[in-house]
């Protein structure tokens, strides 16, 4: 197997090399720049962003946050509200969760305890992610609204990471350029206008206080809760200043540095945390604004020019080193161009919002969903595109250290519940590693085998001892839990999953949910990878229970020759409650690698039944990508394209995935899913490598290169 993997990998690498010249850098640039985003007014829902995966700056039509308080967010900016003062609920240790009967014994789950509402809610709402600041144009104290500006235009050049915005105020032109550093939490801004020299134009910085709502969209935080937090200004030099922001126990620093003009910085304005920077000697000023958790005493002044160079270089390398697909030669089918737009803009937005040191939230760094926390089950979608598109530097930003970091809390969660190994949490954050209390949070299980999926993906492209070693402990602890969690049903002679559990579609009664199709298939895959991993490590022997569980798991539940959501589900396909939410039974073939356990007739029947009966209007996000991938493996390329352009699967003018009825905008699992599906279309999968694009598109010159085949 190891040799087969190696051989496949070499083959894939050879493919890339052989094709490497098919899309020259110049052609890539033209394609990327042909989808530059142009706006002439602020959007009500989405900013235009510059960023680097760990830091992003969301701008309105002015290139700043002048009229719309879009966010500046990052990986380390988090905050706690004060703990409740309710007796018996004043500390994290007071929280007990709830016990549910689980195969004849009481098991403790991290669920909201009705007798401990205050601390349960606190744990869910804290810590939450901060909007660090707002930076905008300041019109000398005059109240100016967006409609007071004329000739507003804006262009985001994704090849350079450059946002250019221009407008006229009372006849004078204002031009703004906005860039982000590729490596730090730094934004660089250039403002040009004769208004600067006249003292009629400056910049403001303002600092918000967070909000405990689950969703903060489109904006994060409040600027009028001034008494709850403190800011102080310190002039560092004639050309730089620092603002210290303290919110309860959280403190961070904003360093502002300017070139090209003398300027003064004053504030805060009475009753606010608003500071005003007033240039005076020139009609051009360049600012470098940098955020850090400790005072930035670095003497080496990073210049505006250095930031713009860093942005250009990083983006050029991103666009030229990774995989690329060019569908623009296709003339006969307008869907190709729309797909290409979604691909380019999704590549840009996932690099800005999702390529972080910890998993991103569903809304990336645009706004907050679920308090800014991330979800371990969704992380498969978020991180997979970086592997498929050959951006392993970004894939490895969070992997595998995410799992090493969460290992202690996951081992103790499993131990507390009476299982061996590590039970990964669900909705969590990089600061505490806690799993937020929630019924679904505590009973969802499809995040458990993700380490195996990631490890196998890593190994496919890096079949080395280093890869084996870095995932070894994580896989062992994961497999130990998975084997222990499967319950030996003596009357049927198989291992069961659940109850209680929630399957991928979070819409069933957990107390009757037994043997969900996707989870069974995924458990088998995960244990199989763990066993192979031991073999690859020089013939180590896996614990016998891993193999016993893998080989004797319950069979995939079938109803009328289709795969059901779970075993014993009533009215599968017939009742409305059995045909909505994530159609995960399509994932056993669409997402997971082929297993001989699958009956492909049943897989095809299931795909047809989903198409006929599933209420896709209530689906969101990656469902469409997964259905497209299932169609691809079934050989139906036309259906795959149709799913990827389904009317519910929407992307706005800048490429942000529209959340729809159930989640706010943006919803980045859609973007990631699209890229994973397109990667599969461009390169196939292990055992069936090669282009799966519509034949007519290929005849007209559609081409892709550099992809890593799917598992
Ligand atoms: C602004 O953009 C919209 C949509 O792209 C377009 O319809 C409209 O004509 C533009 N307005 C101006 C003044 O350029
Ligand atoms: C919030 O509180 C937790 C303890 O519950 C602590 O670990 C963390 O450091 C605090 N601060 C932030 C920003 O999360
Ligand atoms: C499932 O069982 C738990 C107790 O184990 C109970 O609290 C909960 O209400 C039940 N849920 C449903 C939907 O029946
Ligand atoms: C404070 O700002 C929020 C928006 O962040 C707004 O909804 C609210 O009405 C404001 N409150 C006051 C008293 O102005
Ligand atoms: C600041 O605002 C408060 C009320 O918000 C007011 O009483 C006070 O006079 C103001 N001070 C100045 C210097 O404007
Ligand atoms: C300090 O600020 C400079 C910008 O002047 C930035 O390049 C650097 O990364 C910052 N250092 C830290 C530790 O944030
Ligand atoms: C054993 O499996 C059967 C069929 O799946 C199921 O109905 C039964 O509830 C299981 N037994 C227990 C004790 O869970
Ligand atoms: C399964 O087939 C039987 C017999 O044809 C039919 O009565 C039943 O409604 C079908 N059930 C489903 C879920 O299609
Ligand atoms: C696959 O399923 C079909 C339809 O239920 C059945 O007729 C066939 O025998 C199955 N094939 C295998 C190999 O089990």
């Amino acid at each position: 197997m190891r040799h087969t993997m190696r051989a496949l990998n070499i083959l894939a690498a050879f493919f890339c090399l052989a094709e490497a010249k098919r899309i020259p850098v110049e052609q890539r640039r033209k394609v990327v720049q042909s989808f530059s985003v142009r706006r002439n007014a602020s959007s009500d829902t989405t900013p235009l962003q510059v960023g680097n995966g760990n830091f992003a700056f969301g701008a309105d039509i002015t290139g700043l946050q002048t009229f719309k308080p879009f966010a500046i967010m990052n990986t380390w900016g988090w905050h706690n509200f004060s703990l409740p003062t309710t007796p018996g609920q004043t500390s994290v240790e007071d929280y007990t969760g709830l016990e549910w009967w689980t195969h004849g014994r009481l098991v403790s789950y991290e669920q909201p305890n009705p007798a401990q509402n205050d601390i349960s809610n606190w744990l869910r709402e804290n810590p939450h992610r901060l909007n660090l600041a707002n930076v905008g144009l300041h019109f000398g104290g005059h109240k100016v609204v967006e409609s007071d500006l004329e000739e507003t235009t804006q262009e985001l050049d994704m090849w350079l990471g450059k946002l250019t915005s221009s407008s006229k105020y009372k006849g004078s032109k204002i031009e703004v350029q906005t860039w982000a550093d590729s490596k730090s939490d730094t934004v660089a801004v250039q403002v040009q206008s004769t208004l600067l020299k006249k003292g009629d134009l400056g910049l403001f910085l303002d600092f918000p206080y967070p909000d405990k709502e689950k969703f903060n969209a489109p904006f994060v935080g409040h600027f009028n809760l001034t008494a709850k937090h403190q800011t102080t200004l310190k002039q560092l030099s004639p050309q730089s200043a620092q603002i210290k922001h303290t919110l309860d126990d959280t403190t961070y620093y904003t360093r502002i540095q300017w070139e090209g003009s003398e300027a003064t910085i004053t504030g805060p304005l009475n009753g606010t945390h608003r500071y005003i920077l007033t240039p005076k000697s020139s009609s051009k000023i360049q600012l470098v604004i940098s955020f850090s958790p400790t005072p930035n005493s670095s003497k080496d002044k990073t210049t505006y020019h250095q930031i713009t160079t860093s942005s250009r270089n990083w983006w050029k390398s991103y666009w030229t080193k990774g995989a690329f697909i060019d569908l623009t030669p296709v003339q006969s089918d307008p869907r190709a161009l729309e797909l290409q737009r979604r691909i380019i803009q999704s590549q840009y937005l996932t690099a800005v919002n999702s390529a972080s040191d910890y998993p991103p939230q569903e809304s990336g760094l645009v706004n907050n969903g679920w308090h800014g926390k991330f979800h371990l089950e969704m992380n498969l979608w978020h991180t997979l595109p970086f592997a498929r598109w050959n951006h392993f530097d970004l894939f490895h930003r969070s992997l595998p250290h995410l799992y090493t970091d969460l290992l202690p809390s996951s081992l103790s969660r499993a131990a507390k519940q009476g299982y061996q190994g590590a039970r990964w949490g669900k909705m969590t954050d990089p600061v505490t590693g806690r799993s937020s209390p929630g019924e679904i949070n505590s009973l969802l299980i499809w995040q458990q085998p993700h380490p195996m999926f990631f490890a196998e993906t890593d190994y496919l492209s890096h079949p080395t001892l280093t890869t084996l070693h870095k995932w070894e402990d994580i896989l062992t602890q994961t497999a130990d839990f998975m084997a222990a969690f499967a319950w030996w049903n003596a009357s049927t002679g198989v291992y069961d999953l659940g109850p209680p559990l929630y399957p991928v579609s979070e819409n069933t009664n957990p107390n009757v949910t037994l043997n969900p199709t996707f989870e069974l298939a995924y458990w088998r895959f995960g244990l199989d990878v763990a066993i192979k991993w031991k073999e690859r490590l020089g013939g180590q022997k896996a614990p016998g229970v891993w193999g016993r569980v893998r080989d004797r798991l319950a069979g995939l539940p079938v109803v009328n020759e289709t795969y059901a959501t779970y075993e014993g589900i009533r009215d599968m396909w017939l009742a409305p409650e059995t045909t909505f939410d994530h159609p995960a039974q399509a994932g056993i073939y669409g997402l997971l690698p082929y297993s001989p356990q699958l009956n492909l007739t049943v897989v095809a029947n299931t795909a047809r039944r989903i198409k006929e009966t599933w209420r896709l209007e209530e689906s969101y996000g990656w469902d469409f990508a997964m259905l497209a991938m299932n169609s691809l493996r079934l050989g139906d390329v036309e259906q795959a394209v149709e799913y990827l352009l389904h009317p519910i699967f929407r992307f706005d003018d800048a490429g942000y995935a529209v959340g729809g009825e159930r989640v706010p905008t943006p919803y980045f699992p859609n973007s990631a899913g699209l890229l994973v599906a397109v990667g599969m279309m461009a390169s196939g999968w292990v055992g069936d490598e090669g282009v799966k694009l519509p034949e007519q598109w290929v005849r007209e010159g559609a081409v892709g290169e550099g992809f890593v085949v799917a598992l």
Side-chain angles (χ1 to χ4, degrees), residues 48-79:
L48 295 185
Q49 288 175 295
V50 291
N52 61 32
N54 282 308
F55 170 80
F57 182 98
D60 68 12
I61 191 65
T62 63
L64 300 166
Q65 293 114 4
T66 308
F67 302 117
K68 302 266 179 186
F70 288 118
I72 305 175
M73 293 208 292
N74 70 355
T75 303
W76 53 252
W78 295 78
H79 168 259

Side-chain angles (χ1 to χ4, degrees), residues 9 12-13 16 314 317-318 321-323 351 354-357 382-401 452-464 467 470-471 533 683 706-711:
N9 189 57
C16 302
W314 189 64
S317 139
Y318 177 75
K321 280 196 186 147
S354 309
S356 42
D357 293 344
H382 287 300
T383 313
L384 209 48
F386 299 125
R388 296 277 190 270
W389 287 69
N390 231 325
H391 291 295
F392 277 95
D393 51 336
L394 305 183
F395 178 86
H396 285 133
R397 278 185 178 178
S398 66
L399 295 174
H401 84 79
M452 282 80 166
F453 202 108
F454 285 133
E456 194 67 11
T457 298
D458 203 354
Y459 191 72
L460 181 62
S461 293
H462 311 102
T464 66
T467 305
K470 73 180 173 185
W471 286 97
W533 212 261
S683 65
F707 289 90
V708 173
V709 296
L711 289 180

Side-chain angles (χ1 to χ4, degrees), residues 488-534:
W488 177 248
N489 185 327
S491 57
T492 51
V494 298
Y495 283 97
D496 284 336
L497 297 183
L501 62 74
Y502 272 100
V504 176
S505 62
E506 302 169 353
N507 63 351
T508 67
N509 177 345
N511 297 334
V512 301
T513 305
L514 169 73
N515 293 327
T517 297
F518 182 81
E519 284 75 0
L520 283 175
Y522 205 15
W523 236 247
R524 192 169 278 112
F525 163 80
L527 289 169
D528 194 52
V529 170
I531 292 165
K532 279 196 302 212
W533 212 261
K534 292 282 183 201

Side-chain angles (χ1 to χ4, degrees), residues 468-486:
L468 292 174
H469 283 310
K470 73 180 173 185
W471 286 97
E472 181 186 5
D473 190 36
I474 295 164
L475 296 203
T476 299
Q477 304 288 3
T478 305
D480 277 347
F481 169 75
M482 287 168 57
F485 179 82

